Amino acid sequence: MTLDLTPDQLLSTTRAVRKRLDFDRPVPRSLIEECVDLATQAPTGRNRQRWHFVVVTEPAQRRAVADIFLRALPLATGHPLTEDDLWRMNYHRHSTDRVFDGLRHLAAHIHRVPAFVIPGVEGRTDHAPVSVQAGVWGSILPAVWSFMLAARARGLGTTWTTAQGPLERELAEVLRVPYDEVMLAAFVPLAYTLGTDFKPARRIPREHVLHWDRWSHGERPSTEPPQQARKAPDAP
């Protein structure tokens, strides 16, 4: 049974769910398998189909994976924020505050999440040129997003995190993934949602992301002045 959603509704309401995950309801294996089947219909470079999905539901294994998630959170850095980043993050008042509030809630309850999905792709891209990076990531990230869309259609919630990054080698050891051969691409908590009435997110105006024929950089509108950006919170 899937939700009665049009394609546009499915695409615009598949949100990062952190506060509305049902921690007390197990997710049937059959539903996860359906989502994986749909995920592997995504594009794959040269039809190599190098994608893999490690699903963690066993209690002891979930505890071990959740512990890695918590320890990895404060280690994640990423690129320094630019002025444009700060403007986009705070264009809609309090939107970034809500993201970090949700992250704190998820971290506080991460051990209760009934399933984790850790997608991987064969072939590491450490220090590889952009041309190689594009081919590898382009053959796994669309599949992960397809998994998340399929989950939403079945009343399940996900949130895309890259918490596997700082402690990827340790996570690979726990999952018995051959680290030198397979790169872990994301860390996705999975659960039924509390309600299914999700709405589209508020984003910056279209004219700041759409370019015709050549790159252009329009002036920023002043409808909602940016506020001071918040840093990601430390894991509790």
Side-chain angles (χ1 to χ4, degrees):
M1 180 78 65
T2 56
L3 302 178
D4 185 20
L5 298 171
T6 67
D8 284 5
Q9 289 172 327
L10 180 63
L11 288 167
S12 63
T13 64
T14 299
R15 308 261 49 92
V17 185
R18 303 178 184 92
K19 280 192 167 183
R20 293 176 56 184
L21 296 175
D22 189 340
F23 301 124
D24 299 318
R25 186 179 178 187
V27 180
R29 177 173 180 149
S30 60
L31 281 189
I32 300 175
E33 291 173 342
E34 288 178 13
C35 294
V36 170
D37 288 344
L38 289 167
T40 57
Q41 292 298 312
T44 170
R46 303 181 189 177
N47 197 32
R48 287 177 290 187
Q49 304 178 61
R50 291 181 170 182
W51 40 45
H52 296 272
F53 294 84
V54 182
V55 180
V56 180
T57 58
E58 193 274 327
Q61 191 76 327
R62 281 194 291 116
R63 287 193 294 272
V65 168
D67 179 66
I68 292 175
F69 175 90
L70 288 179
R71 288 189 286 109
L73 275 185
L75 302 178
T77 55
H79 286 134
L81 295 175
T82 67
E83 183 179 346
D84 284 341
D85 289 332
L86 298 177
W87 174 77
R88 288 185 290 254
M89 291 168 64
N90 296 279
Y91 180 76
H92 293 292
R93 194 176 301 275
H94 304 308
S95 60
T96 299
D97 289 339
R98 287 192 290 270
V99 170
F100 291 147
D101 186 47
L103 176 58
R104 283 188 288 268
H105 178 84
L106 177 63
H109 298 277
I110 194 67
H111 290 88
R112 299 178 59 199
V113 174
F116 298 112
V117 180
I118 296 99
V121 61
E122 295 174 24
R124 301 202 62 83
T125 63
D126 309 80
H127 311 298
V130 172
S131 58
V132 174
Q133 297 268 4
V136 174
W137 290 110
S139 295
I140 182 61
L141 300 189
V144 181
W145 180 235
S146 291
F147 178 94
M148 297 169 77
L149 291 170
R152 162 67 171 144
R154 286 157 177 77
L156 303 173
T158 58
T159 183
W160 190 309
T161 84
T162 52
Q164 86 291 345
L167 298 176
E168 183 193 359
R169 187 182 291 273
E170 181 180 349
L171 181 59
E173 290 177 359
V174 169
L175 300 175
R176 298 185 181 177
V177 172
Y179 176 84
D180 293 332
E181 302 170 16
V182 176
M183 187 165 53
L184 301 181
F187 187 108
V188 182
L190 175 72
Y192 277 102
T193 57
L194 300 172
T196 59
D197 55 333
F198 293 92
K199 299 178 181 179
R202 301 176 72 191
R203 301 299 195 200
I204 62 174
R206 181 197 307 130
E207 55 265 28
H208 290 273
V209 298
L210 177 61
H211 309 265
W212 288 106
D213 297 326
R214 60 188 56 82
W215 186 269
S216 60
H217 200 306
E219 293 184 3
R220 299 172 183 167
S222 58
T223 52
E224 292 195 34
Q227 305 164 47
Q228 184 177 1
R230 303 290 182 87
K231 293 183 179 180
D234 293 336

